[in-house]
Amino acid sequence: MSAGATAEQAYYIGAWARTRPDHPAVIMAESGQTITYQQLDERSNRLAQLWYDRGLRRGDHVAILLHNQVEYFDAVWAAMRSGLYYTPINWHLTAPEANYIVADCGARSVVASYALADVAADIKVEIPLMVGGAVDGWEPYDDAVASYPATPLDDEPEGAGMFYSSGTTGVPKGILFPLRDAKISDPSPLMAYKSPIQADADTIYLSPAPMYHTAPVVF
């Protein structure tokens, strides 16, 4: 965090969109695809608006079955600014294993990649969104969000991740923490964490690990 930046600015994507709209928020190393803070703010708002319009409310669950790609950040931030729990799904799982996690966490929506369509094949949820291709029973992600406004919800309660254990001693188990009674724009306890990495506003974080792991997606 740069000198003079507020705790809100450090944590809230909407604040970065206001103060550094054209600065890269996400850069895909292989392709060079770049999403700015303003673009990420707008993209996540559209998905948040879709979920709200379809009836999702604070405390509801969504799941993410994507490779490391820009839509991962859309989904995480849309959930975080809607008061929703998001559950990342390991893309190495089989279809029955992935379906178990979706059912167990009670996800009402899943954002999945066309490249993982075989894993997503048996998933049944109210709002199935497919990124990058057409699959029967799934809405094309880009088409679904296109008609929604790129502005924040009137109320933006803070959401959280609900992560699953690896299941080495049985089935994976969800770790459910209570949601904070806070807005996403409120100062976050995460900003009090003293990381050994001395980061500031211009630090670039390289994540070679899959985003379904806790540390990469939280960082």
Side-chain angles (χ1 to χ4, degrees), residues 41-167:
D41 186 57
E42 292 174 350
R43 291 164 65 104
S44 61
N45 277 326
R46 292 186 191 280
L47 181 55
Q49 293 278 4
L50 181 151
W51 278 335
Y52 190 87
D53 180 61
R54 304 286 185 90
L56 272 64
R57 295 295 184 269
R58 183 178 185 271
D60 284 337
H61 292 249
V62 298
I64 306 170
L65 180 58
L66 297 170
H67 288 125
N68 284 16
Q69 55 194 97
V70 295
E71 288 83 6
Y72 221 111
F73 297 92
D74 298 358
V76 169
W77 271 111
M80 288 295 295
R81 68 195 312 165
S82 304
L84 305 178
Y85 286 104
Y86 69 89
T87 292
I89 299 175
N90 183 331
W91 67 65
H92 294 102
L93 296 180
T94 64
E97 290 169 334
N99 196 40
Y100 168 81
I101 291 176
V102 170
D104 187 71
C105 75
R108 296 181 60 187
S109 180
V110 175
V111 181
S113 169
Y114 182 73
L116 297 166
D118 57 336
V119 180
D122 296 328
I123 290 175
K124 304 296 183 187
V125 290
E126 295 173 45
I127 311 166
L129 302 170
M130 184 64 66
V131 175
V135 174
D136 286 346
W138 291 73
E139 295 182 62
Y141 176 82
D142 289 340
D143 293 347
V145 299
S147 63
Y148 286 91
T151 52
L153 297 172
D154 292 337
D155 185 33
E156 289 191 297
E158 183 183 80
M162 179 184 177
F163 300 94
Y164 272 72
S165 67
S166 60

